[in-house]
Amino acid sequence: MDYQFREIEQKWQKYWAENQSFKAEANSEKPKYYVLDMFPYPSGAGLHVGHPLGYIASDIFARYKRLKGFNVLHPMGYDSFGLPAEQYAIQTGQHPAVTTETNINTYRRQLDQIGFSFDWSREVRTSEPAYYKWTQWIFMQLFNSWYNLETDKAEPISTLIHKFNEAGSADVKAACDEDTKTFLPTDWATFTEEEKQAELLKYRLTYLKESTVNWCPALGTVLANDEVKDGFSERGGFPVEQKKMMQWSMRITAYAERLLQGLDTIDWPEPMKEMQRNWIGKSVGASVKFKIERPKTEDGSPQTGAGGLENKTSDIGHRTSDYIEVFTTRVDTIFGVSYLVLAPEHEWVAELTTPEQKEEVEAYIAQTKKKSELDRMADAKTVSGAFTGTYVINPVSGERVQLWIADYVLAGYGTGAVMGVPSGDQRDWLFATHFGLPIIQILDSQKDIDQQADPTKEGKYINSGFINGMEYKEAVAFLNQWLEEQGVGKAKINYRQRDAIFGRQRYWGEPIPVYFKDGLPYLLKEEELPLLLPEIDKYLPTETGEPPLGRAEFWKYEDKYEYELSTMPGWAGSSWYWYRYMDAQNNSAFASKEAVDYWKDVDLYIGGSEHATGHLLYSRFWNKFLKDLGFVQEEEPFKKLINQGMIQGRSNFVYRVNDEQGKPTNTYVSYGLKKDYNTTALHVDVNIVENDKLNIQKFRAWRPEYQDAVLILEDGTTSSPTGGGQEGAYVCGVEVEKMSKSKFNVVNPDVLIAQYGADTLRMYEMFLGPLEQSKPWNTNGIEGVFKFLRKFWRLFHNEAWEFTVSDAEPTKAELKALHKIIKKVQDDIERFSFNTSVSSFMIAVNELTDLKCNKRAILQDLVVVLAPYAPHICEELWSLLGNKDLSTAQYPIFNPNYLVEDEFAYPISINGKMKMNLNLSLTLEAKEAEEAVLANDQVQGFLNGATPKKIIFVKGKIVNIVV
């Protein structure tokens, strides 16, 4: 029987499912290996050919590791909460759970037919209550923890309360809010319960605080920075503005240094690690306090700002009533400060704006709200700002400097305030030049500062008071000590990273297990988990602007306390899911200690680089937290990470002819002739194009407007719907673009599997190029891979397609061909070079075909080597060879002796003319070789009775007979 791939693939997919062939147990004596794909979101569109690329690679590796004797965990599930299902629910009124289930069913069908070796007994879905119960539970552990800087780890909040009871707050070193109180244990004892809870909230690892967020009115929710691009939401492309809201946040900043240090311990792509380093943004510098100068009114009292600030004495926010604190990495330039800048959204802008400047400042703030933070950081050329009318005093020089606001300063970075040093920073120089502010030279080596800034650290300081004459290192050390002695600053390490917003004003997400009493948040009891999503009438905010959960009737804790109405963000459920795979059915813990102790961490993680500063950072944060509390063993969750490249679409075009007035006609000219016409390129469905030639009949049936189209073909003939023209070729244009439905270049794997089979698709996706590189999809070459598999099948069958193998001893040549591919594939898979293996398989099968090899000893090992790539055909052949369960087979052991060259095909020449090749042992010396050559009948035929005068023998090279 010829290669019947459809029947073979359906047979073995059914077998694997019924026998749970890839189910992993946590009690094996084999070494463990955990292979994981990034959690997919099940979209309604299903998979296109770009999606399985990483899954195929991870599956090859998982199957290979099983053959190498490892106990492999290779699970799959769905990140099933999220915006798309909710947007669809808003449009149709259908519950998101319904569309999510439909989408998952499509994904599962498509994944199954590609033949992945997933352990489906461990499937998880983030939107299932049995799963999100534990996401809520982790939230509760974070709420009940604080970060102790002395032990450099998270600890239960009870240990902090103990410190407050014993010694007050004086000696507490914690990652916490800036406005914590200073109190004695006797003070703590007098605090009311509400006062204690309000103070503890400033220390908790998840907390409520007013924050500046990315608010998307069209989506009705807050978005993370990585969900915003160029001021618009990635999902839907809606405008995003900056807005202050009371939000849940996670204190990821407490882990900034550990997140940085951990990058040196893991095998990740260097660009990915660098993205995280830049996002965390460690800076070594100093914090400096600039005293606010308060203008006096006519009666001599301090003037209040436009917002009505009184002369308060308590610490509030990032500054006291008297000082603005600035973080700088160049404290040595402090004598060159000519202005100070606050972020427009800084909480004290209104209070520090004088009545005269109020209108200008408010207009500037309104303008800033239209930009995302990423846009503001990226735009280094546009100079803008507004003077508040207030002055501050430089603590080292006593000089008055103006206080401005400008959108290049962000409230969340440092203190939300920066000092402007125009002589040493180009951005500051542009600002000062634009607004006519002083530019002060501070180093004798600075040059041309009237033309541009000079950031040098070389030379000696001038115009710099008590550090004049010093050089950089001496000046920095002296200033840091002086600032601390004077109580106006100190050396400090700062991080660009901000605490992670942990709330979305949406319905389709995990409910936050919190209720409010007297305006303060309290946790549910653990036994009350999961807090289920309530039913609501529609999935929109309430008429009063509350999140959709505000629509739930009679949804209160103990029938009297309001629940939190925001839900968790999309990254919540994906920040710990790899642990749930270890013990997916556990009802009493997120995973048992035994399972976690056995599987430990993910050995190989494959997924997209777009998750660098989102999922991958949050996952590392949650993992470190769970380790601190003793729930997991490992500091880092993912030992090795590979970012697969994107498979891009290969678009095809037809060329519509325009008339003399430029108006479109219904005539289309082939690619090679379009230069002779005025044309417009139009995308055409790639599924009706083969080898860039348009299927004319399918084109006319594709869309109504093409039904009557006239096509000018490549040879100049015409094809019309009424016939009468030669049916030659219409050649389409080609362009590589992102795969998208709007470009009609999406290739559905279902179509290719139906035509060529899953094994062909798997091998072809690997064949396209290196896993990490992006590459265009081109179906034109898939036929070659299909022919290879058919040729491989042919090795096991005779001319009548009857299964026939021989038990004869293999030849040296056959063993050499086999062991070359054993070694090659082993090396390729170990270094994740899957594409080079595919071409090597083709070479090996060609060699064995030429050798007419049908030896069991050769073909049985070849089946095992190919199995990770093409599992269905190999399972069938393994079975025909009389074996059972290929997944339990052993990868063949490479024997280098079979690759040792002990023979050479010597070119035999007579009088310098090459006549033939003759295999001779490489151990033969000249006399023995000459005798062997002359004993050969074919050589004697060429000599035709002549006696050689001389024989020239070059070992391993040539034999030349002179007659």
Side-chain angles (χ1 to χ4, degrees), residues 669-707:
V669 63
S670 186
Y671 175 79
L673 303 178
K674 72 182 181 70
K675 63 182 181 299
D676 301 326
Y677 297 82
N678 175 12
T679 63
T680 301
L682 302 174
H683 284 90
V684 65
D685 186 355
V686 295
N687 295 292
I688 60 173
V689 179
E690 187 171 351
N691 291 323
D692 299 329
K693 293 180 181 177
L694 183 69
N695 185 313
I696 296 171
Q697 187 177 353
K698 289 183 179 178
F699 174 68
R700 291 207 173 97
W702 177 43
R703 301 178 73 174
E705 59 263 40
Y706 300 133
Q707 186 176 342

Side-chain angles (χ1 to χ4, degrees), residues 411-454:
Y413 177 60
T415 62
V418 301
M419 58 189 211
V421 184
S423 67
D425 183 280
Q426 186 61 20
R427 182 191 58 194
D428 295 349
W429 187 91
L430 291 169
F431 191 91
T433 302
H434 185 81
F435 290 110
L437 297 166
I439 299 174
I440 304 163
Q441 184 177 356
I442 50 171
L443 281 156
D444 58 9
S445 56
Q446 284 180 317
K447 296 178 181 177
D448 303 322
I449 61 171
D450 58 330
Q451 302 296 317
Q452 62 181 8
D454 183 350

Side-chain angles (χ1 to χ4, degrees), residues 591-875:
S592 71
K593 183 180 185 301
E594 293 74 21
V596 172
D597 287 350
Y598 179 78
W599 294 111
K600 292 185 175 64
D601 53 14
V602 176
D603 295 281
L604 174 65
Y605 198 26
I606 296 184
S609 60
E610 67 273 14
H611 299 291
T613 55
H615 159 65
L616 286 169
L617 200 59
Y618 301 139
S619 295
R620 296 180 62 224
F621 160 42
W622 275 31
N623 195 91
K624 291 174 190 296
F625 167 72
L626 290 170
K627 179 178 184 290
D628 286 351
L629 268 61
F631 295 117
V632 305
Q633 291 187 18
E634 303 298 321
E635 178 80 5
E636 291 288 339
F638 315 122
K639 278 183 185 172
K640 181 173 183 63
L641 174 72
I642 294 178
N643 297 130
Q644 84 272 14
M646 181 186 295
I647 288 187
Q648 298 163 303
R650 189 176 186 277
S651 301
N652 282 120
F653 298 88
V654 293
Y655 299 92
R656 186 177 63 199
V657 176
N658 302 317
D659 65 17
E660 293 179 358
Q661 286 74 43
K663 294 180 180 178
T665 68
N666 204 18
T667 298
Y668 301 84
V669 63
S670 186
Y671 175 79
L673 303 178
K674 72 182 181 70
K675 63 182 181 299
D676 301 326
Y677 297 82
N678 175 12
T679 63
T680 301
L682 302 174
H683 284 90
V684 65
D685 186 355
V686 295
N687 295 292
I688 60 173
V689 179
E690 187 171 351
N691 291 323
D692 299 329
K693 293 180 181 177
L694 183 69
N695 185 313
I696 296 171
Q697 187 177 353
K698 289 183 179 178
F699 174 68
R700 291 207 173 97
W702 177 43
R703 301 178 73 174
E705 59 263 40
Y706 300 133
Q707 186 176 342
D708 299 322
V710 173
L711 282 78
I712 303 172
L713 307 179
E714 195 72 12
D715 61 4
T717 61
T718 301
S719 171
S720 64
T722 56
Q726 181 185 347
E727 288 292 326
Y730 184 99
V731 178
C732 293
V734 177
E735 190 173 320
V736 174
E737 305 177 287
K738 184 177 179 180
M739 207 169 273
S740 158
K741 284 193 286 188
S742 65
K743 302 181 190 301
F744 305 109
N745 63 359
V746 171
V747 180
N748 189 329
D750 295 2
V751 175
L752 295 176
I753 290 171
Q755 189 172 355
Y756 298 106
D759 286 338
T760 298
L761 176 69
R762 289 169 64 104
M763 294 196 73
Y764 186 60
E765 291 227 2
M766 293 298 96
F767 190 49
L768 285 173
L771 178 62
E772 297 91 339
Q773 292 181 12
S774 291
K775 50 254 179 192
W777 177 264
N778 184 352
T779 312
N780 296 349
I782 198 168
E783 185 80 34
V785 174
F786 178 71
K787 288 178 178 176
F788 154 74
L789 287 174
R790 196 167 178 269
K791 196 169 189 178
F792 172 64
W793 179 261
R794 169 63 94 176
L795 285 174
F796 298 76
H797 296 80
N798 61 21
E799 292 298 321
W801 290 103
E802 296 166 334
F803 181 79
T804 308
V805 293
S806 164
D807 289 321
E809 285 295 312
T811 66
K812 284 185 178 181
E814 290 167 342
L815 286 166
K816 180 181 177 182
L818 172 65
H819 283 266
K820 271 197 304 183
I821 194 67
I822 290 172
K823 178 74 162 62
K824 173 64 174 167
V825 171
Q826 179 174 286
D827 291 348
D828 284 351
I829 293 180
E830 293 284 1
R831 67 173 189 266
F832 307 98
S833 180
F834 304 108
N835 59 308
T836 51
S837 286
V838 179
S839 52
S840 298
F841 280 127
M842 294 176 176
I843 293 168
V845 168
N846 284 340
E847 288 178 350
L848 292 172
T849 300
D850 292 343
L851 293 168
K852 296 182 171 53
C853 175
N854 72 338
K855 312 284 178 57
R856 180 186 299 274
I858 299 295
L859 299 184
Q860 186 157 280
D861 280 354
L862 184 60
V863 165
V864 179
V865 176
L866 181 60
Y869 289 80
H872 305 89
I873 189 173
C874 290
E875 281 276 18

Side-chain angles (χ1 to χ4, degrees), residues 101-294:
E101 180 69 24
T102 301
N103 296 346
I104 284 175
N105 290 338
T106 300
Y107 259 59
R108 176 63 189 270
R109 177 188 61 77
Q110 291 186 298
L111 291 170
D112 282 346
Q113 71 176 6
I114 301 175
F116 295 123
S117 61
F118 294 130
D119 179 355
W120 284 110
S121 70
R122 298 170 183 266
E123 178 192 318
V124 299
R125 304 177 183 189
T126 57
S127 57
E128 289 289 337
Y131 181 88
Y132 71 68
K133 167 185 178 178
W134 299 107
T135 311
Q136 292 173 339
W137 179 85
I138 294 172
F139 173 91
M140 292 168 71
Q141 309 313 305
L142 285 153
F143 185 85
N144 276 331
S145 299
W146 67 294
Y147 200 90
N148 187 340
L149 295 175
E150 288 188 307
T151 60
D152 198 24
K153 60 184 285 192
E155 295 180 5
I157 202 78
S158 57
T159 63
L160 179 63
I161 295 170
H162 178 75
K163 285 178 178 284
F164 288 166
N165 283 326
E166 293 294 314
S169 64
D171 294 328
V172 170
K173 292 181 173 58
C176 56
D177 292 354
E178 299 261 346
D179 60 337
T180 55
K181 294 180 179 180
T182 302
F183 52 83
L184 298 171
T186 50
D187 298 326
W188 178 254
T190 64
F191 285 4
T192 65
E193 178 61 21
E194 289 76 18
E195 288 174 324
K196 287 181 177 179
Q197 291 304 321
E199 191 64 18
L200 288 171
L201 196 58
K202 299 173 185 177
Y203 292 84
R204 296 183 187 275
L205 287 182
T206 185
Y207 59 94
L208 267 175
K209 188 175 183 181
E210 188 175 66
S211 308
T212 301
V213 297
N214 299 311
W215 174 251
C216 180
L219 293 175
T221 191
V222 169
L223 298 175
N225 281 339
D226 55 296
E227 296 173 316
V228 181
K229 188 174 183 181
D230 301 326
F232 294 88
S233 64
E234 272 208 322
R235 175 69 59 183
F238 300 112
V240 176
E241 63 186 47
Q242 302 295 291
K243 182 178 180 179
K244 285 195 171 184
M245 291 180 66
M246 189 63 72
Q247 279 283 3
W248 284 100
S249 290
M250 293 249 167
R251 213 177 292 279
I252 190 173
T253 50
Y255 286 84
E257 188 61 31
R258 281 169 64 184
L259 288 167
L260 270 179
Q261 297 303 322
L263 292 171
D264 296 331
T265 69
I266 50 181
D267 183 6
W268 285 23
E270 196 54 41
M272 171 68 72
K273 294 201 279 191
E274 198 58 27
M275 286 171 74
Q276 290 208 354
R277 290 188 187 105
N278 291 337
W279 187 266
I280 295 166
K282 182 178 180 179
S283 301
V284 178
S287 66
V288 184
K289 293 178 179 178
F290 285 75
K291 189 171 184 178
I292 299 166
E293 179 186 270
R294 296 198 168 280

Side-chain angles (χ1 to χ4, degrees), residues 306 349-350 353 357-367 386 405:
V349 169
T353 299
Q357 295 298 115
K358 181 179 179 182
E359 185 177 346
E360 181 184 345
V361 166
E362 287 182 344
Y364 186 76
I365 291 171
Q367 175 187 326
I405 63 171

Side-chain angles (χ1 to χ4, degrees), residues 41 78-83 126-128 132 507-511 533 570:
Y41 174 80
Y78 306 98
D79 193 8
S80 48
F81 274 132
L83 279 174
T126 57
S127 57
E128 289 289 337
Y132 71 68
Y507 173 75
W508 192 232
E510 299 91 339
L533 274 173

